[in-house]
Amino acid sequence: MIAKAWKLLRFAVRYEIGLWRSLYRWIFRRPEPLRPGERTFGYTGAVMTLMWIFIIVSAVEIPIFEMILPWELVSNIVLGLGVYGLFWMFGLLASLKVHPHVVGEAGVRIRNGITLDLTVPWSAIDRVRVNRRSLPPEGSVQVERSGDDVTVSLGMANQTSVDLLLREPIAVPTRKARGEAVTELRFHADDPEALVEAATAHLVAHHPDPSGRAAA
């Protein structure tokens, strides 16, 4: 029990530090340096409207609670929590903005803020394709099993738009799929066509295929 609590505490501290670091980089326009040939692809379009609604509502609530609470101490505590929560939401938004997907020589780097950072090397990828899907409301990470095949969907607002079909199974660092050999990955990108085009160029270079099967 103590070990589990300590693990959760360390995760919470790392997550908090990651949010504030992301907010700093977003405000001061300090993106991660890219290696030659790497391209970035965003994935926040599906959640941007919802996140701004939460931020605006949170900002509006702060002065309202300040006016209606008659107790100064309680009012100050609520004010502090409100301001902290507002900055926390900006940090969450920033974490999604400054950690985009990356396609480069190393492979396809799939990300979700500071909670997921997975690079799939070209040696493990068989095909990449655009395939827009709506996921059932069962969480952002969903696992489908069919015989020996395991498909992991890394959704954004219950959507995926890119499929990676794998030559060889890989491990995915998510709780639902931990320990299983994953044979297909699905994730969301705002411009899946551009991502697939960039990925296909690298894939053909690593695995020449005159039939064009890499993008099928």
Side-chain angles (χ1 to χ4, degrees), residues 99-176:
H99 296 98
H101 302 314
V102 181
V103 173
E105 194 61 31
V108 180
R109 189 177 183 183
I110 304 170
R111 303 164 101 180
N112 185 352
I114 55 179
T115 62
L116 176 69
D117 190 346
L118 170 66
T119 298
V120 185
W122 298 117
S123 60
I125 300 175
D126 182 40
R127 284 177 284 167
V128 55
R129 65 190 179 194
V130 176
N131 199 340
R132 291 177 171 83
R133 289 185 175 88
S134 295
L135 303 177
E138 299 174 2
S140 59
V141 179
Q142 300 186 20
V143 181
E144 300 174 33
R145 300 171 180 86
S146 178
D148 294 332
D149 295 331
V150 178
T151 299
V152 172
S153 296
L154 306 169
M156 181 64 62
N158 292 330
Q159 300 176 40
T160 63
S161 56
V162 178
D163 294 350
L164 288 185
L165 287 78
L166 304 178
R167 289 173 176 261
E168 56 189 50
I170 63 171
V172 178
T174 64
R175 181 180 56 82
K176 290 184 178 180

Side-chain angles (χ1 to χ4, degrees), residues 35-51:
R35 296 183 180 91
E38 288 186 335
R39 291 180 58 188
T40 61
F41 299 89
Y43 50 85
T44 62
V47 297
M48 188 61 63
T49 300
L50 183 61
M51 292 199 69

Side-chain angles (χ1 to χ4, degrees), residues 17-211:
I17 293 173
L19 287 184
W20 294 113
R21 183 184 294 121
S22 298
L23 185 58
Y24 169 82
R25 287 175 48 202
W26 190 40
I27 291 174
F28 292 99
R29 300 176 181 270
R30 296 191 175 183
E32 288 182 335
L34 297 175
R35 296 183 180 91
E38 288 186 335
R39 291 180 58 188
T40 61
F41 299 89
Y43 50 85
T44 62
V47 297
M48 188 61 63
T49 300
L50 183 61
M51 292 199 69
W52 277 112
I53 289 174
F54 276 117
I55 289 173
I56 292 171
V57 170
S58 298
V60 171
E61 285 179 344
I62 293 174
I64 292 177
F65 280 117
E66 175 73 12
M67 290 187 295
I68 65 176
L69 290 174
W71 308 283
E72 183 177 356
L73 177 60
V74 176
S75 177
N76 289 338
I77 292 174
V78 171
L79 176 62
L81 291 175
V83 172
Y84 170 79
L86 182 61
F87 276 98
W88 194 93
M89 288 295 299
F90 273 113
L92 180 60
L93 176 59
S95 74
L96 301 176
K97 284 290 191 181
V98 303
H99 296 98
H101 302 314
V102 181
V103 173
E105 194 61 31
V108 180
R109 189 177 183 183
I110 304 170
R111 303 164 101 180
N112 185 352
I114 55 179
T115 62
L116 176 69
D117 190 346
L118 170 66
T119 298
V120 185
W122 298 117
S123 60
I125 300 175
D126 182 40
R127 284 177 284 167
V128 55
R129 65 190 179 194
V130 176
N131 199 340
R132 291 177 171 83
R133 289 185 175 88
S134 295
L135 303 177
E138 299 174 2
S140 59
V141 179
Q142 300 186 20
V143 181
E144 300 174 33
R145 300 171 180 86
S146 178
D148 294 332
D149 295 331
V150 178
T151 299
V152 172
S153 296
L154 306 169
M156 181 64 62
N158 292 330
Q159 300 176 40
T160 63
S161 56
V162 178
D163 294 350
L164 288 185
L165 287 78
L166 304 178
R167 289 173 176 261
E168 56 189 50
I170 63 171
V172 178
T174 64
R175 181 180 56 82
K176 290 184 178 180
R178 190 164 294 165
E180 294 193 76
V182 176
T183 56
E184 182 177 345
L185 275 170
R186 301 169 181 171
F187 62 99
H188 178 71
D190 293 338
D191 189 351
E193 289 83 5
L195 189 150
V196 167
E197 182 182 3
T200 300
H202 282 279
L203 191 58
V204 170
H206 285 78
H207 305 291
D209 187 348
S211 69

